[in-house]
């Protein structure tokens, strides 16, 4: 029999789906859907998916690097084609009796095909859902905050620079509130519909809601319990950091802004979302007489450019004996904001175009140490792409959704180490004393430790929205309840359900899962510890850099010439090449090959920050700090409600508005009555004029309102009546304008 997987040419045109449902339950086809046919089916999937995914990625890239209506429509059409193909292959994959197969790779690939995500939606709803997602992401990317008299500022770099560098709490509040007004309020009316369609897609895939679908990617039944365990293990470190930072901000801003026993206002931590506090290091430095060198200033003095920053990151990986990026990377990537003025999405990201040779980074690079470390992170993603490029498309992803992030962040731990920066000419002082070491660790902690509760709570919040625990009428209230509970933060001004502050975070407006960032925070230190041991590092973990360690490189991926033989001299086992396996193995197995443990552990992270934690505990005890924010909530003092003036009276706004509407209606009624009366009188006057014309001619009088009078008196009366009508009309118009102006 000819293989059916090469026949449906309509599929290659991404047109219509074959009537696979007709075959379900046909026992005569059971032998046909065997393991051999499954392999042919998967080969056909590879050929088709490579074309479809590549075209979709190109369309998506064109859109985010040139945001236009046409590019958005092109992307949406390619997304629809991709979804049609996913539906076809996902539906066919269900016909195979996977449990009876022997080949583990075949079973794993077919299992991955079963979940087709949002593509499970009916075509009309899928198109609507994709448009909704595109609108939400575009609203975020295009948002700006405008000065009263001056230009409008985008998030990157302008608003982020204000949040990072300003120490004027009023200016910080302006940027903080302005961004949330510009983004969140746009998304508030549509977010509920997004939730409904997301959950419908999840149920069509066999999950109770979208949160369950997202969690399923980790293939771990105890995921939520494991995450809670990790959070509880790390919480003492965060609480000590929070208490110390709160005290430092109290010294700077004073008791009117900071309560030393309460939560911290969210706009004072140097970051639009308060997820990283590293930008306020100057306010919280443990030993201010020994400030760290300004690496950004050194970079600018050495005339670093975005291209050099990427080259520096690549040198790190090639020093490990790993793969260099292909030439097309440098030609096709967007390494800095385009100078031609087109609108682009500046959210940093790494892209795999699924053809084994095209990999790109999108970043609006600024010359500073923060962006340099971000580039190291993105080049970690590049290395992952390069290592697993020869696998099936189904396996071209991290071992779990957090692995890629962990690999990139693990590299930044080495790249930001004092010794590495010194060796690369970005520091001049040869040695650190104990106080300088605490200052150094504080800088790392303000980025890593401050992120712990933020990374944990984002998806816990969304999971409860998806499962219905959090209803639409309390989205914003619950958002700040979560931020208070986990982070000890409050909004600097009262918020309401007209606001939608979660939408001011990219990953929420772009519908991207976030729990992987929390998991990667833990995994990166596990990876770092394992590779430092392989590199032969002796001493505190925070002093380790794996730069130039071929042994560490061999554990991660592609070995260099003679490296495998070198490895075998040190161990009985071959190098695991953990990046090369992608997601072809269960992630606990890959984790064990790398670290010796199959479970996530906080031990390495706590070891890294142990000197700082000891210092923080001592400092907080001496200051009599209270850890946490007991008995505090994000409530605000009762404020006098604004009054509205109406007929020289100060009334409640609703009462005043009602009075205005009543007065307007009365004016309209009177206006209509006067018009009717005038019309009636005009008719009567005309009839009377004809009848009495002869009498009036003799006397010289004129009738007005059926009364004979002198002509000049009648004319004056007519003008008075006309004036009254005009005044009433003007009154109606002015009141109408006043009411609508007041409402807005």
């Amino acid at each position: 029999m000819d293989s059916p997987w090469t026949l449906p040419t309509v599929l290659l045109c991404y047109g219509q789906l074959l009537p696979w449902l007709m075959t379900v339950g046909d026992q005569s086809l059971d032998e046909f859907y065997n393991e051999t046919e499954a392999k042919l089916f998967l080969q056909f999937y590879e050929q088709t998916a490579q074309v479809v995914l590549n075209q979709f990625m190109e369309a998506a890239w064109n859109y985010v690097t040139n945001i236009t209506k046409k590019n958005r429509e092109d992307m949406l059409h390619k997304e629809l084609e991709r979804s049609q193909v996913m539906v076809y292959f996902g539906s066919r994959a269900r016909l195979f009796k996977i449990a009876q197969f022997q080949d583990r790779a075949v079973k794993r690939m077919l299992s991955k095909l079963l979940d087709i995500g949002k593509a499970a939606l009916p075509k009309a709803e899928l198109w609507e859902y994709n448009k909704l997602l595109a609108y939400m992401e575009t609203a975020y990317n295009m948002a700006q905050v405008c000065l009263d008299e001056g230009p409008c500022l985008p998030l990157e770099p302008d608003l982020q620079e204000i949040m990072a560098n300003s120490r004027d709490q009023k200016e910080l509040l302006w940027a903080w509130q302005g961004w949330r007004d510009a983004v969140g309020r746009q998304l508030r009316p549509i977010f509920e519909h997004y939730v409904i369609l997301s959950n419908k897609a999840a149920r069509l895939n066999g999950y109770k809601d979208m949160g369950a679908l997202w969690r399923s990617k980790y293939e771990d039944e105890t995921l939520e319990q494991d995450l809670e365990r990790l959070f509880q293990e790390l919480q003492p470190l965060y609480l000590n950091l929070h208490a110390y930072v709160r005290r430092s901000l109290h010294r700077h801003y004073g008791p009117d802004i900071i309560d030393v026993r309460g939560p911290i206002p969210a706009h004072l931590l140097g970051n639009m979302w308060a997820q990283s506090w590293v930008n306020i290091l100057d306010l919280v430095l443990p030993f201010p007489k020994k400030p760290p060198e300004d690496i950004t200033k050194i970079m600018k003095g050495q005339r670093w450019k975005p291209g050099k920053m990427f080259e520096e990151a690549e040198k790190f990986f090639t020093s490990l004996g790993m793969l260099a990026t292909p030439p097309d990377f440098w030609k096709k990537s967007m390494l800095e904001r385009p100078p031609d003025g087109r609108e682009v999405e500046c959210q940093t990201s790494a892209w795999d175009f699924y053809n084994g040779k095209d990999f790109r980074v999108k970043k609006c690079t600024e010359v500073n140490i923060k962006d340099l470390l971000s580039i190291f992170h993105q080049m970690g993603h590049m290395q992952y792409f390069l290592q697993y490029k020869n696998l099936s498309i189904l396996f071209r992803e991290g071992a779990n959704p957090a692995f890629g992030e962990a690999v990139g962040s693990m590299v930044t731990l080495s790249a930001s180490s004092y010794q590495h920066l010194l060796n690369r000419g970005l520091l001049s002082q040869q040695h650190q004393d104990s106080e300088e070491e605490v200052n150094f660790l504080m800088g790392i902690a303000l980025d890593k430790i401050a992120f712990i509760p933020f990374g944990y709570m984002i998806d816990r919040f969304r999971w409860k929205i998806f499962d219905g625990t959090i209803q639409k009428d309390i989205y914003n209230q619950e958002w700040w309840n979560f931020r208070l509970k986990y982070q000890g933060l409050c909004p600097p001004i009262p918020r309401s359900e007209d606001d939608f502050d979660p939408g001011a975070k990219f990953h929420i407006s772009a519908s991207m899962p976030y729990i992987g960032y929390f998991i990667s925070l833990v995994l990166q230190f596990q990876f770092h510890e394992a590779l430092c041991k392989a590199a032969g590092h002796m001493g505190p973990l925070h002093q380790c850099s794996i730069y130039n360690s071929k042994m560490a490189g061999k554990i991660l991926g592609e070995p260099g010439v003679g490296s495998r033989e070198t490895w075998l001299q040190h161990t009985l086992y071959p190098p695991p090449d953990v990046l090369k396996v992608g997601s072809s193995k269960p992630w606990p197995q890959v984790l064990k090959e790398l670290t010796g443990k199959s479970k996530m552990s906080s031990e390495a992270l706590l070891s890294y920050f142990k000197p700082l934690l000891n210092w923080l505990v001592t400092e907080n005890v001496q200051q009599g700090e209270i850890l946490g924010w007991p008995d505090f909530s994000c409530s605000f003092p009762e404020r006098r409600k604004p009054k509205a003036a109406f007929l020289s009276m100060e009334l409640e706004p609703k009462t005043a508005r009602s009075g205005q509407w009543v007065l307007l209606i009365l004016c309209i009624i009177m206006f209509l009555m006067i018009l009717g009366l005038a019309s009636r009188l005009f008719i009567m006057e005309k009839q009377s004029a004809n009848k009495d014309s002869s009498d009036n001619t003799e006397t010289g009088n004129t009738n007005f309102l059926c009364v004979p009078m002198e002509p000049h008196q009648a004319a004056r009366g007519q003008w008075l009546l006309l004036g009254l009508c005009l005044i009433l009309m003007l009154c109606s118009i002015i009141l109408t304008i006043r009411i609508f102006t007041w409402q807005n």
Side-chain angles (χ1 to χ4, degrees):
M1 178 187 294
D2 291 334
S3 171
W5 316 124
T6 59
L7 293 179
T9 55
V10 290
L11 178 62
L12 289 175
C13 298
Y14 330 126
Q16 301 174 356
L17 306 182
L18 294 181
W20 64 273
L21 284 170
M22 296 174 60
T23 66
V24 176
D26 188 342
Q27 298 301 317
S28 64
L29 294 177
D30 285 352
E31 294 183 3
F32 174 74
Y33 290 103
N34 57 40
E35 193 162 345
T36 300
E37 294 297 333
K39 292 178 180 179
L40 294 173
F41 170 73
L42 290 170
Q43 289 176 12
F44 181 56
Y45 169 78
E46 288 292 317
Q47 296 167 4
T48 307
Q50 182 169 323
V51 175
V52 176
L53 293 177
N54 178 260
Q55 291 184 356
F56 168 69
M57 295 302 288
E58 286 285 1
W61 176 268
N62 291 339
Y63 173 64
V64 298
T65 58
N66 185 15
I67 298 176
T68 66
K69 184 176 181 180
K70 179 183 181 303
N71 284 346
R72 183 177 71 171
E73 290 299 312
D74 290 345
M75 178 186 69
L76 290 173
H77 283 291
K78 290 299 180 184
E79 168 71 7
L80 187 60
E81 292 174 359
R82 183 179 75 97
S83 297
Q84 289 174 330
V85 172
M86 289 179 64
V87 168
Y88 172 78
F89 282 103
S91 303
R92 282 286 174 137
R94 288 185 171 87
L95 300 179
F96 293 99
K97 296 185 177 180
I98 301 174
Q100 300 177 5
F101 292 174
Q102 301 300 313
D103 191 315
R104 292 183 180 179
V106 171
K107 294 173 68 174
R108 190 165 178 80
M109 283 190 279
L110 287 173
S111 297
K112 284 179 173 288
L113 273 178
L114 295 180
D115 286 341
I116 59 177
K118 62 183 178 181
L121 289 169
K123 186 175 180 179
E125 289 183 311
L126 177 60
W127 180 256
E128 180 184 6
Y129 189 52
N130 286 337
K131 288 185 68 175
L132 189 65
L133 295 176
Y135 173 82
M136 291 167 64
E137 190 169 344
T138 301
Y140 182 96
N141 291 324
M142 301 288 283
Q144 294 184 329
V145 179
C146 298
L147 297 164
D148 291 337
E149 294 182 4
C152 295
L153 306 181
L155 178 66
E156 294 189 34
D158 301 305
L159 295 177
Q160 288 194 352
E161 286 183 357
I162 291 174
M163 298 300 296
N165 300 320
S166 176
R167 298 297 178 256
D168 179 346
Q169 79 94 13
K170 291 183 179 179
E171 183 181 27
L172 292 169
L173 177 58
W174 172 83
W176 187 93
Q177 182 181 4
W179 179 247
R180 282 153 182 78
D181 289 348
V183 181
R185 291 195 168 210
Q186 285 193 70
L187 304 186
R188 183 67 176 86
I190 62 174
F191 196 78
E192 181 196 5
H193 193 46
Y194 154 77
V195 172
I196 292 171
L197 289 177
S198 297
N199 281 341
K200 182 171 184 178
R203 287 192 292 271
L204 290 172
N205 279 280
Y207 300 95
K208 64 178 184 178
D209 58 56
M210 183 56 79
L213 189 154
W214 284 357
R215 293 190 296 274
S216 73
K217 304 301 180 183
Y218 290 90
E219 305 173 285
D220 187 348
E221 294 181 356
T222 63
L223 176 68
E224 293 183 78
Q225 296 91 321
D226 291 343
L227 296 179
E228 179 64 20
R229 169 182 58 82
L230 291 171
F231 178 73
Q232 293 299 330
E233 291 171 358
L234 296 172
Q235 192 175 33
L237 185 52
Y238 177 78
L239 290 176
N240 275 279
L241 179 67
H242 180 280
Y244 171 76
V245 168
R246 180 175 58 192
R247 172 68 65 175
S248 299
L249 293 176
H250 177 268
R251 290 194 204 100
H252 183 79
Y253 290 105
D256 291 340
I257 305 298
I258 301 291
D259 188 320
V260 292
R261 294 171 56 89
I264 301 173
H267 67 313
L268 301 178
L269 292 162
N271 176 266
M272 183 62 80
W273 310 277
Q275 68 183 67
S276 169
W277 305 349
V278 70
N279 290 317
I280 61 166
L281 178 61
D282 60 308
L283 300 181
V284 304
L285 201 64
F287 300 99
K289 293 183 179 180
K290 296 182 178 180
E293 295 183 72
D294 188 339
I295 299 175
T296 295
K297 185 177 180 180
I298 294 172
M299 291 173 65
K300 291 180 177 179
Q302 295 176 359
R303 298 187 178 181
W304 282 57
K305 301 293 182 185
K308 181 178 179 179
M309 295 164 72
F310 278 87
E311 290 168 0
E312 183 69 19
E314 180 167 59
K315 285 179 185 176
F316 188 97
F317 287 97
T318 55
S319 81
L320 304 179
M322 302 183 77
L323 300 173
T325 51
D328 276 356
F329 169 83
W330 304 98
K331 296 177 183 177
K332 295 183 176 182
S333 291
M334 190 188 88
L335 305 184
E336 54 189 313
R337 184 185 287 273
D340 55 16
R342 60 190 141 114
E343 292 289 343
V344 299
E345 179 190 286
C346 274
Q347 182 74 26
T348 304
S349 54
W351 294 59
D352 179 357
F353 285 77
Y354 295 100
N355 59 10
K357 58 185 179 181
D358 193 351
F359 312 99
R360 307 176 200 174
V361 164
K362 173 178 62 64
K363 183 172 179 62
C364 298
T365 307
E366 299 287 325
V367 178
N368 56 51
I369 182 60
K370 176 176 175 275
D371 275 18
L372 178 62
L373 295 178
S374 173
I375 288 168
F376 271 82
H377 180 101
Q378 297 306 317
M379 295 302 274
H381 285 292
M382 286 295 107
Q383 194 60 222
Y384 220 150
F385 296 162
L386 290 166
Q387 293 291 337
Y388 60 51
K389 66 181 182 181
N390 295 321
L391 293 176
S392 162
I393 284 178
L394 291 165
F395 292 152
R396 289 187 208 172
E397 57 186 0
N400 71 28
F403 257 61
E405 289 297 319
V407 169
S409 297
M410 173 270 298
V411 173
T412 68
L413 293 176
S414 287
S416 62
S417 69
Y418 191 88
Q419 193 60 46
H420 179 75
L421 293 171
L422 180 65
N423 291 340
R424 304 310 296 170
L426 292 175
L427 292 175
S428 59
Q429 189 174 333
Q430 292 296 314
H431 301 287
Q432 282 183 319
D433 62 26
S434 60
E435 293 180 348
E436 291 167 337
E437 187 174 50
V438 170
N439 280 349
F440 166 79
L441 283 172
M442 178 60 74
I444 304 297
L446 291 173
D447 185 43
K448 304 290 186 180
I449 303 307
F451 181 76
I452 289 171
F454 185 81
Y456 184 53
M457 58 82 57
I458 289 280
D459 272 359
R460 286 186 63 85
F461 169 75
R462 283 192 288 184
W463 294 345
K464 288 188 177 297
I465 287 180
F466 288 133
D467 70 16
T469 303
I470 298 177
Q471 296 292 317
K472 64 177 181 177
D473 55 341
I474 55 170
Y475 281 167
N476 218 46
Q477 174 187 324
E478 285 301 303
W479 169 255
W480 285 108
N481 287 342
F482 268 68
R483 298 208 73 177
L484 175 66
K485 175 181 178 180
Y486 291 104
Q487 288 184 278
L489 304 182
C490 271
I493 55 173
R495 311 302 288 161
S496 73
E497 289 305 322
D498 291 332
D499 301 303
F500 186 61
D501 295 332
K505 178 63 181 169
F506 173 79
H507 296 76
I508 292 181
S509 61
S511 188
M512 296 175 63
Y514 206 76
I515 198 66
Y517 293 98
F518 174 76
I519 296 172
S520 75
L521 179 70
V522 175
L523 291 178
Q524 66 187 260
F525 287 93
Q526 283 187 262
F527 294 175
H528 185 58
E529 183 181 55
L531 295 178
C532 286
K533 288 179 180 178
H537 174 74
M538 305 291 290
L541 188 57
H542 67 269
Q543 294 179 357
C544 169
S545 171
I546 63 172
Y547 181 76
N548 217 26
S549 171
K550 301 298 188 291
M551 191 63 64
K554 288 192 287 285
I555 294 177
L556 286 175
E558 184 71 24
V561 178
S563 60
R564 188 168 292 272
E565 291 75 13
T566 305
W567 171 271
L568 290 172
Q569 293 174 6
H570 293 82
T571 179
L572 296 175
Y573 302 100
D577 297 344
V578 295
L579 303 188
K580 294 177 72 67
V581 302
S583 64
S584 63
K585 298 180 181 179
W587 69 266
Q589 181 180 338
V590 180
L591 180 62
K592 187 171 184 178
E593 291 177 355
L594 176 55
T595 68
K597 298 178 180 179
S598 60
K599 288 291 241 181
M600 295 180 287
S601 169
S602 62
E603 292 178 4
L605 189 155
L606 293 171
S607 173
Y608 185 98
F609 288 106
K610 184 176 181 180
L612 177 66
L613 178 59
N614 292 337
W615 183 89
L616 284 171
V617 170
T618 302
E619 180 71 12
N620 287 335
V621 169
Q622 290 177 352
Q623 295 292 332
E625 298 293 355
I626 300 296
L627 299 187
W629 37 97
D631 304 322
F632 277 83
S633 66
C634 289
S635 61
F636 294 85
E638 187 69 24
R639 299 190 176 188
R640 181 176 178 269
K641 294 183 179 180
K643 299 290 185 179
F646 177 68
L647 300 179
S648 301
M649 297 182 292
E650 292 288 328
L651 303 176
E652 293 294 327
K654 288 185 178 179
T655 304
R657 181 187 296 148
S658 299
Q660 289 172 324
W661 278 109
V662 170
L663 185 58
L664 173 62
I665 292 170
L666 288 175
C667 287
I668 293 173
I669 292 173
M670 291 176 64
F671 176 64
L672 294 174
M673 289 175 64
I674 291 295
L675 286 179
L677 179 60
S679 176
R680 176 63 179 158
L681 289 173
F682 177 78
I683 295 172
M684 292 173 64
E685 286 288 317
K686 193 171 183 180
Q687 292 173 346
S688 176
N690 293 333
K691 179 179 179 181
D692 301 328
S693 58
S694 59
D695 297 337
N696 290 337
T697 301
E698 295 176 0
T699 62
N701 291 339
T702 301
N703 285 334
F704 175 66
L705 299 179
C706 300
V707 178
M709 60 182 64
E710 295 292 328
H712 69 277
Q713 292 177 328
R716 183 182 302 169
Q718 290 170 337
W719 280 109
L720 286 173
L721 184 60
L722 176 61
L724 178 61
C725 292
L726 290 174
I727 289 171
L728 287 172
M729 181 184 295
L730 185 60
C731 176
S732 301
I733 294 172
I734 291 174
L735 278 175
T736 303
I737 295 173
R738 176 69 182 90
I739 288 170
F740 285 104
T741 302
W742 187 88
Q743 286 178 331
N744 293 328

